[in-house]
Amino acid sequence: MAALQTSLITPSFSSRTYSNEVTTAKTSLVSTGSKRITVQTHDKVLRFSPLAHHNRHDQRAFARAAASVEANNNLELSVEMAKSEVLKALSQIIDPDFGTDIVSCGFIKELNINDAIEEVSFRVELTTPACPVKEMFEQKANEVVEALPWVKNVNVTMSAQPAKPAFAGELPKGLQQISNIIAVSSCKGGVGKSTVAVNLAYTLAGMGARVGIFDADVYGPSLPTMVSPEIRLLEMNPETKTILPTEYLGVKLVSFGFAGQGRAIMRGPMVSGVVNQLLTTAEWGELDYLVIDLPPGTGDIQLTLCQVAPLTAAVIVTTPQKLAFIDVAKGVRMFSKLKVPCIAVVENMCYFDADEKRHYPFGKGSGDQVVQQFGIPNLFDLPIRETLSASGDSGMPEVVSDPQGEVSRIFQDLGVCVVQQCAKIRQQVSTAVTYDRSIRAIRVKVPDDNEEFLLNPATVRRNDRSAQSVDEWTGEQKIQYGDIPEDIEPEEIRPMGNYAVSITWTDGFSQIAPYDQLQMIERLVDVSGRKVPHQLVPPEIQF
């Protein structure tokens, strides 16, 4: 760093005694040889012949150069020690979602020490710009670094990671820069699902995130009524043949209702194709969250969306009636089979306040029943409010028209929940399957399972069930035990949705390994000597 470099005294040397100066940028050092003495600094290399020792002036010049080199080395050492102190201080700050410190999370970037003005500067890169504790992180970071006795100034910059999907695999181009895709589902019409989807999206946008809404209901699109963009027709990019989303208050919008066709009258396969095209060919750009307003039911459209889009999580909307619970249960089971975690339940039209009392006109318990029966961790109750219904008809979401009201506070809590749960899911998925080179074993910790176990890489490779390894017609194993070397290692492990990982091996083979299959493979004894329970796969698979 410029502020820490010491100026080098370079005397004038006689060409009779010394070789020419050579410009370099290598690390400072002093070395001696049988015929020459070399002083190498940050920007010069000076070579002295043994004759230099007979000249006092030259000896003093050599000593000054050597002292400069030593000073530079000491400064570099002190900078590294200072950085270590700063990181140690920052490691006191714990991320409440991940349960570990922000240094271990890799949040600290571009750490610089300016010794001249005793200033420390660094950037805190969060997982999302909508992080609900970013102000706390910034305040704590300033406090713990300012507490160091040698620090006078602290310059903290807050930022967020670039938007990118957590999952590997070939994604449609339009979805390649979207960090999280949230499905809002009810499987029952008329429960306020679209109201929840739109207000959730604008809540996330208000928290600082880049957000889009996709209205997947072709038969009865709600988005054109609930928002009021200036441009109410989707346009196509003539060069790329992609769809340009319209926008309202900074949120990108795509709906069949903006296609100029009104409501669709078509058969199921055609509808699935339209939904697929609208979602995957739209130019969403970089988004932190894409909220998908799913249509009611568990049919073709829902399955198509769940298979095409790498859903991060789902939010379930219901009402207090028992009939609503029955349909919602079907949707939760669908997401469970598709390995999409349901992170929250919103019970709409729960109550209203009158005469200083809270009334429940439709009874209680539907939301609680969903939470208890399916283990969904968060429940949010929305009241019956005339303004909430009116805002849906006026084209301005309630969280925008009344940001300080009771409904907006509930959606703020829901938004914080979505941000936190998505961050946890991404973290769990990214670390679910890793390779530990020190013990040559694959570590597996399936999301929502507290148990961690070890697998032999060769055993995992031999248990591939793709058509390249197993005959699709006869089920006969194509690869033999000896075909896979014992020392084979994975080159790369990447998550594939919430259900599997993609493993690239050193022999060039690419394997998709579902979590369910990994849990069935024989396990290794862990490094601590603790015996991990064995779960053997069927003989025709396990070698």
Side-chain angles (χ1 to χ4, degrees):
M1 298 171 57
L4 297 174
Q5 292 179 353
T6 304
S7 60
L8 174 66
I9 302 173
T10 309
S12 175
F13 297 107
S14 166
S15 60
R16 176 176 56 83
T17 308
Y18 306 105
S19 66
N20 293 330
E21 298 174 356
V22 181
T23 300
T24 183
K26 296 182 179 179
T27 306
S28 304
L29 58 89
V30 178
S31 63
T32 61
S34 59
K35 295 184 179 181
R36 287 183 181 274
I37 300 172
T38 302
V39 178
Q40 180 175 328
T41 72
H42 283 290
D43 55 358
K44 302 285 185 183
V45 172
L46 306 177
R47 297 190 179 90
F48 296 76
S49 73
L51 295 176
H53 294 283
H54 299 288
N55 186 311
R56 290 183 179 179
H57 172 76
D58 294 334
Q59 288 177 354
R60 286 195 296 270
F62 176 80
R64 286 196 297 270
S68 174
V69 169
E70 184 177 1
N72 267 304
N73 283 337
N74 290 337
L75 282 170
E76 289 181 356
L77 181 60
S78 64
V79 169
E80 292 305 314
M81 291 176 63
K83 287 185 176 181
S84 178
E85 284 189 32
V86 172
L87 292 175
K88 184 177 180 180
L90 290 170
S91 66
Q92 302 173 57
I93 305 173
I94 305 299
D95 186 297
D97 296 329
F98 299 150
T100 187
D101 65 90
I102 62 174
V103 176
S104 300
C105 288
F107 291 172
I108 307 303
K109 309 289 184 183
E110 300 170 6
L111 174 59
N112 292 309
I113 312 292
N114 192 325
D115 186 61
I117 58 175
E118 298 178 340
E119 180 182 80
V120 177
S121 62
F122 54 91
R123 179 166 58 88
V124 181
E125 185 182 75
L126 304 174
T127 56
T128 170
C131 176
V133 291
K134 57 186 173 185
E135 287 82 8
M136 182 271 286
F137 280 158
E138 184 175 9
Q139 178 185 347
K140 290 287 187 182
N142 274 289
E143 289 176 357
V144 297
V145 177
E146 282 179 347
L148 296 174
W150 52 271
V151 176
K152 287 187 176 179
N153 301 298
V154 181
N155 183 11
V156 182
T157 303
M158 305 300 291
S159 67
Q161 295 175 0
K164 60 180 180 180
F167 309 138
E170 293 296 327
L171 290 176
K173 188 174 181 180
L175 305 180
Q176 291 177 1
Q177 294 179 290
I178 301 175
S179 293
N180 303 280
I181 302 179
I182 312 299
V184 178
S185 172
S186 67
C187 298
K188 177 72 176 175
V191 299
K193 169 181 51 61
S194 297
T195 299
V196 171
V198 170
N199 282 277
L200 171 61
Y202 280 92
T203 298
L204 293 171
M207 295 170 67
R210 294 161 294 184
V211 183
I213 306 176
F214 177 63
D215 182 0
D217 194 343
V218 173
Y219 293 121
S222 302
L223 199 56
T225 304
M226 305 189 74
V227 294
S228 305
E230 290 185 11
I231 302 174
R232 299 190 63 83
L233 286 177
L234 297 175
E235 298 177 353
M236 179 171 285
N237 187 323
E239 296 181 359
T240 61
K241 304 299 182 184
T242 53
I243 296 171
L244 301 176
T246 188
E247 286 193 27
Y248 179 60
L249 302 177
V251 175
K252 295 183 177 181
L253 312 168
V254 172
S255 170
F256 188 74
F258 292 133
Q261 303 293 322
R263 287 168 167 75
I265 302 175
M266 58 183 73
R267 295 185 182 275
M270 293 179 64
V271 173
S272 298
V274 169
V275 170
N276 190 358
Q277 182 182 7
L278 287 172
L279 174 64
T280 60
T281 63
E283 291 186 10
W284 293 108
E286 288 193 7
L287 293 182
D288 300 300
Y289 301 94
L290 175 62
V291 178
I292 298 183
D293 180 8
L294 286 178
T298 54
D300 289 345
I301 297 176
Q302 291 79 9
L303 293 175
T304 296
L305 285 171
C306 292
Q307 291 167 352
V308 169
L311 298 181
T312 308
V315 173
I316 305 299
V317 182
T318 186
T319 54
Q321 296 95 330
K322 183 178 179 181
L323 186 61
F325 167 78
I326 294 172
D327 287 337
V328 163
K330 297 177 184 177
V332 175
R333 294 190 183 98
M334 176 189 72
F335 286 121
S336 177
K337 289 183 179 179
L338 295 170
K339 306 296 183 183
V340 177
C342 296
I343 57 175
V345 174
V346 177
E347 188 171 16
N348 194 19
M349 296 180 280
C350 273
Y351 61 86
F352 66 90
D353 296 323
D355 303 325
E356 299 181 353
K357 292 177 62 178
R358 179 155 292 183
H359 303 271
Y360 296 86
F362 303 118
K364 295 182 181 180
S366 177
D368 286 326
Q369 194 173 355
V370 174
V371 169
Q372 294 171 7
Q373 183 166 331
F374 299 102
I376 301 174
N378 303 287
L379 174 64
F380 300 89
D381 293 341
L382 280 176
I384 300 173
R385 285 285 187 276
E386 182 181 357
T387 56
L388 183 57
S389 175
S391 65
D393 297 333
S394 68
M396 180 173 288
E398 174 81 352
V399 297
V400 176
S401 60
D402 185 14
Q404 303 302 322
E406 179 188 7
V407 171
S408 294
R409 291 196 296 271
I410 296 172
F411 274 108
Q412 185 70 26
D413 293 340
L414 175 61
V416 170
C417 167
V418 168
V419 169
Q420 292 176 334
Q421 293 296 323
C422 286
K424 288 181 181 179
I425 291 169
R426 289 174 66 92
Q427 178 73 4
Q428 290 173 348
V429 167
S430 65
T431 60
V433 182
T434 57
Y435 181 57
D436 189 336
R437 294 187 183 278
S438 63
I439 58 174
R440 294 195 66 253
I442 293 176
R443 291 188 177 273
V444 181
K445 189 176 186 300
V446 176
D448 298 325
D449 190 337
N450 294 326
E451 183 184 20
E452 181 181 274
F453 54 90
L454 304 176
L455 298 177
N456 180 2
T459 304
V460 174
R461 172 69 176 82
R462 290 167 182 147
N463 277 273
D464 176 58
R465 303 301 294 166
S466 69
Q468 300 179 63
S469 302
V470 178
D471 189 291
E472 293 183 279
W473 295 102
T474 65
E476 182 181 352
Q477 199 78 28
K478 292 183 180 179
I479 58 170
Q480 302 302 315
Y481 185 95
D483 294 340
I484 308 300
E486 283 296 330
D487 61 352
I488 194 168
E489 293 182 302
E491 283 188 343
E492 184 181 27
I493 301 177
R494 299 183 299 166
M496 291 281 294
N498 295 312
Y499 67 94
V501 290
S502 171
I503 306 175
T504 302
W505 298 93
T506 50
D507 62 358
F509 184 78
S510 182
Q511 175 182 356
I512 295 178
Y515 295 148
D516 292 345
Q517 181 185 353
L518 294 177
Q519 289 177 309
M520 294 294 292
I521 296 176
E522 183 178 9
R523 303 175 183 181
L524 296 173
V525 176
D526 124 347
V527 288
S528 65
R530 175 175 57 87
K531 190 72 174 180
V532 181
H534 279 52
Q535 286 184 320
L536 301 180
V537 302
E540 68 271 18
I541 300 177
Q542 180 69 48
F543 289 106

